[in-house]
Amino acid sequence: MKSSTVISLFLLTTLFSGTVNAESYPAIFLKVIGNKGKPVSDFQVSVIDGHSSRGWQNGKEGNIRLGGYLFSSIERSKSIQCDLIIRAEGYAPRIVGVDEPAKEVKLKVKLKEGRPVRLTIKDQTGRPIPQSLRPVLFYKRHESLAMRCQRIDDGTLPSDITEFYPFQTERIADGQYLFQWPEDREDIYVCINEPGFLQGYIGGPYSRRDLRKGEITADLPKPAKTTIQFNSHKEDLGDLPFKSVTMQIMKSCSLIDRRVTILDTREFPAGDYTVTVDDLSPGKYTFTSYTRPITEISPSEYGKPNPGCFRDFEKTELCEGAVHNINHEYEELDKNQYKGGHDLTLKVLDTKGKPAGGQEYNFGFMDEHYGASYFQEGSIPQSGVLELKGLNITRGYSLYVLLMEGGMFPIKIENQNTLHHEQTITLAPVKNEKKN
């Protein structure tokens, strides 16, 4: 069986004026009224599922049509319900929960002026608050948007992510901002992401009791300082199989699990680099360096690592005011590093616990910098037992991988004092597999 990779394609439907019949989509017809029931002349609406947005849609004279195309490409969580966030100057924002429309739906929403609340931002180190700083006020479930958050494998850079300011703030003095609170029962959080000053800061929660006082304060921590170095260990840069190195800093969201935001991405020519970042808020980070190869490989060659695709990373938690150094050391691809004096007896069972004989497989070594490298393929014997010879253990353990129709199964081999190892794996159910 030849190795293959699954490439997921997501179709984003774009509406072009005059080229698409908008009426062909199920839609929500939204009427927005304000004081004394009069239509709000100018307002904006965003469709949110908690992690994704299609941006702000402009409404006029109290009316807007939200086409079904705005909902169909939204990344779904377990719930199919979305939030409509309606904002307008002089009003508090309004959030309405809706389901993806299967047919035309008409809604009427009333905006209220709300209660004015002043936000004061203080820096404990005494630094002046930049005039360009624009705080993001948000509810907990929208942290990933406030933090410009996306999936790690999304490939989306921060500059491509739609702005997210559900609460419109007015700067009234240095470090002071005024916003309209809708007097609901949800806690509010503050996000500050100002490169060169402080990045990735989340403050709060501010409860209904706090907000009713008309003033809240965000006391900013002292930023952490981190220096990241990439060392190529090459005097002649022409010998390198890559043409550039990219440095990336990601921070984990503090309120929502398994979400990150990319705070910084910089690309450098092939060779060494040193970067010092001194504006990081406390939290959990991943610092990554990865190279761009001179010669690309096609998807059909998956399982054959590209010598120009090196990746190194470090995960760490930065405390307030911390000083941290990170070194990424380039290592050339060693295609024979899996070879050694260890043997592995691997018993492969199907979903019913019986030998998975006759199924095709690929077996390879998982390199921490280059990914999977498959070096053996075939059909599993009817006994379900694979005898794998001449394996190596590096750095205390080695990670191998078995690729089958039932999935990719990591196999960790350790204990250098033992030359023969035995393990058993059970295949996961294959999609559409019939259950007895």
Coordinates of all heavy atoms in Angstrom, one line a residue, residues 40 42-44 86-93 111 168:
V40 N -32.8 51.6 13.5 CA -31.4 52.1 13.7 C -30.8 52.4 12.3 O -30.8 51.4 11.4 CB -30.5 51.1 14.5 CG1 -29.1 51.6 14.6 CG2 -31.1 50.9 15.8
D42 N -27.7 53.0 11.0 CA -26.5 52.3 10.6 C -26.1 51.4 11.7 O -26.0 51.8 12.9 CB -25.4 53.3 10.4 CG -25.6 54.2 9.2 OD1 -25.5 53.7 8.0 OD2 -25.9 55.4 9.4
F43 N -25.9 50.1 11.4 CA -25.5 49.1 12.4 C -24.7 48.0 11.7 O -24.7 48.0 10.4 CB -26.7 48.5 13.1 CG -27.7 47.8 12.2 CD1 -27.6 46.4 12.0 CD2 -28.7 48.5 11.5 CE1 -28.5 45.8 11.2 CE2 -29.6 47.9 10.7 CZ -29.5 46.5 10.5
Q44 N -24.1 47.1 12.5 CA -23.4 46.0 11.9 C -23.8 44.7 12.7 O -24.1 44.7 13.8 CB -21.9 46.2 12.1 CG -21.4 47.4 11.2 CD -19.9 47.5 11.3 OE1 -19.3 47.6 12.4 NE2 -19.2 47.6 10.2
I86 N -25.0 42.2 17.3 CA -25.4 43.4 16.7 C -24.8 44.6 17.4 O -25.0 44.7 18.7 CB -27.0 43.6 16.7 CG1 -27.6 42.3 16.0 CG2 -27.4 44.8 15.9 CD1 -28.2 41.3 17.0
R87 N -24.2 45.5 16.7 CA -23.6 46.7 17.3 C -23.9 47.9 16.5 O -24.0 47.9 15.3 CB -22.0 46.5 17.5 CG -21.3 46.6 16.1 CD -19.8 46.3 16.3 NE -19.1 46.5 15.0 CZ -17.8 46.3 14.9 NH1 -17.0 45.9 15.9 NH2 -17.2 46.5 13.7
A88 N -24.0 49.0 17.2 CA -24.2 50.3 16.6 C -23.7 51.4 17.5 O -23.7 51.3 18.7 CB -25.7 50.5 16.3
E89 N -23.3 52.5 16.9 CA -22.8 53.6 17.7 C -23.8 54.2 18.6 O -25.0 54.5 18.1 CB -22.2 54.7 16.7 CG -21.5 55.8 17.4 CD -20.8 56.8 16.5 OE1 -20.8 56.5 15.3 OE2 -20.4 57.9 17.0
G90 N -23.5 54.4 19.8 CA -24.4 55.0 20.8 C -25.3 54.0 21.5 O -26.1 54.3 22.4
Y91 N -25.1 52.7 21.2 CA -25.9 51.6 21.8 C -25.0 50.6 22.4 O -23.9 50.4 21.9 CB -26.8 50.9 20.7 CG -27.9 51.8 20.2 CD1 -27.8 52.6 19.0 CD2 -29.1 51.9 20.9 CE1 -28.8 53.3 18.6 CE2 -30.2 52.7 20.4 CZ -30.0 53.4 19.3 OH -31.0 54.2 18.8
A92 N -25.6 49.8 23.3 CA -24.9 48.7 23.9 C -25.1 47.5 22.9 O -26.1 47.4 22.2 CB -25.5 48.3 25.2
P93 N -24.1 46.6 22.8 CA -24.2 45.5 21.8 C -25.3 44.5 22.3 O -25.6 44.4 23.4 CB -22.9 44.8 21.8 CG -22.3 45.2 23.2 CD -22.8 46.5 23.5
L111 N -32.2 47.4 20.3 CA -31.0 47.9 20.9 C -31.3 48.9 22.0 O -32.2 49.8 21.8 CB -30.0 48.5 19.9 CG -29.5 47.5 18.8 CD1 -28.5 48.3 17.9 CD2 -28.9 46.3 19.4
Q168 N -18.1 48.7 21.3 CA -17.4 49.8 20.7 C -16.9 50.7 21.9 O -17.7 51.2 22.6 CB -18.3 50.5 19.7 CG -18.6 49.6 18.5 CD -19.5 50.3 17.5 OE1 -20.5 50.9 17.9 NE2 -19.1 50.3 16.3

